[in-house]
Amino acid sequence: MAGPIMDNHGLIQGFFGDGIMALFDSSENAVRAGIEMTRGLARFNAERAAQGLRPVRIGVGVNTGKLTLAVLGSHGRISCNVAGDHVNLASRVETLTKTYGAVMLISNNVLDRLPSPPPFMLRQVDRVVVKGRRSAIDLYQVIDAEPPDQQAILLSTLDTYNRAVAAYYRAGFIDAGRSFAEALVANPADQNALAYLGRCRERSIEGVDGDWDGVERLAHK
């Protein structure tokens, strides 16, 4: 996992248990490194499979923003560390890969700093306020990081899915529900489309306030 980070102008800030924290010179390089990490993992898992071992799975989360970088420590030992709200948010985004069944998620902060159009295949999976924060972020799944068979399935329904998401955030729950249902016919395992469809049904019955913004507030990290 370290090779793709360094190959894309990344600095490994530290290894923490089974995790890695890295800093990059640009959002594009950070996303590209994450994609290359997942491809390297696929090769590693092929070797494990040949030995009869179970595959290793990872989640990659990317965020960007201002942080504090400093050399901390004591007379006998010093280290370089980073801290700040956006560092914590990156950790939350990584953890949420489990919630959304995605290999790699990025925040809208990252998307805003990518070239237009983005050089990666993306789809929005939610708009959330994560635990410990007040402001909402949009989360995007990086389709390029998924296994090839999953990429093909996700791309085959991407236009329908994106149309449904756009309708949902306009509070067009009936139209959104129809499109999410259509996407699920082609890809029944799409847990994000299924979750959105459930919300569409609830919102259609219960209604929403005029200032509804579609934000989900997460109680877990």
Side-chain angles (χ1 to χ4, degrees), residues 198-216:
R199 293 180 194 174
C200 288
R201 290 170 174 168
E202 292 177 4
R203 306 292 188 268
S204 296
I205 295 172
E206 299 173 0
V208 295
D209 297 332
D211 59 351
W212 180 80
D213 55 10
V215 173
E216 299 291 317

Side-chain angles (χ1 to χ4, degrees), residues 2-213:
I5 293 173
M6 293 184 289
D7 289 344
N8 287 281
H9 305 282
L11 170 68
I12 296 176
Q13 194 272 323
F15 295 93
F16 305 96
D18 62 352
I20 301 174
M21 180 185 292
L23 307 175
F24 291 87
D25 61 347
S26 71
S27 293
E28 184 172 355
N29 280 334
V31 177
R32 202 173 302 281
I35 294 170
E36 292 178 12
M37 288 168 67
T38 64
R39 293 172 181 170
L41 181 66
R43 294 190 293 271
F44 178 66
N45 279 332
E47 296 174 2
R48 289 178 59 83
Q51 301 172 47
L53 300 174
R54 292 185 298 175
V56 174
R57 294 182 175 87
I58 64 171
V60 181
V62 184
N63 183 49
T64 187
K66 292 183 178 181
L67 53 78
T68 298
L69 185 149
V71 175
L72 304 174
S74 65
H75 176 71
R77 183 179 184 278
I78 60 173
S79 63
C80 179
N81 285 279
V82 294
D85 182 56
H86 285 287
V87 177
N88 297 331
L89 182 54
S91 177
R92 297 285 189 271
V93 173
E94 181 273 318
T95 301
L96 288 172
T97 57
K98 303 182 185 72
T99 300
Y100 297 100
V103 175
M104 183 176 180
L105 293 175
I106 66 173
S107 69
N108 59 279
N109 299 323
V110 176
L111 178 59
D112 291 343
R113 289 167 174 79
L114 292 177
S116 182
F120 311 108
M121 298 177 289
L122 309 170
R123 69 170 195 166
Q124 186 172 353
V125 298
D126 215 346
R127 178 173 295 161
V128 300
V129 173
V130 301
K131 188 173 182 180
R133 298 187 92 241
R134 294 183 178 180
S135 57
I137 60 167
D138 289 344
L139 293 173
Y140 295 86
Q141 180 180 13
V142 181
I143 298 175
D144 309 68
E146 299 292 334
D149 58 334
Q150 289 299 311
Q151 287 186 37
I153 295 173
L154 292 172
L155 289 175
S156 70
T157 60
L158 187 58
D159 288 343
T160 303
Y161 178 92
N162 286 341
R163 185 169 63 250
V165 170
Y168 177 81
Y169 288 112
R170 293 195 306 266
F173 303 120
I174 294 177
D175 289 340
R178 288 173 181 155
S179 294
F180 282 126
E182 182 182 343
L184 281 164
V185 169
N187 184 13
D190 189 344
Q191 66 185 65
N192 294 307
L194 184 61
Y196 270 123
L197 179 59
R199 293 180 194 174
C200 288
R201 290 170 174 168
E202 292 177 4
R203 306 292 188 268
S204 296
I205 295 172
E206 299 173 0
V208 295
D209 297 332
D211 59 351
W212 180 80
D213 55 10

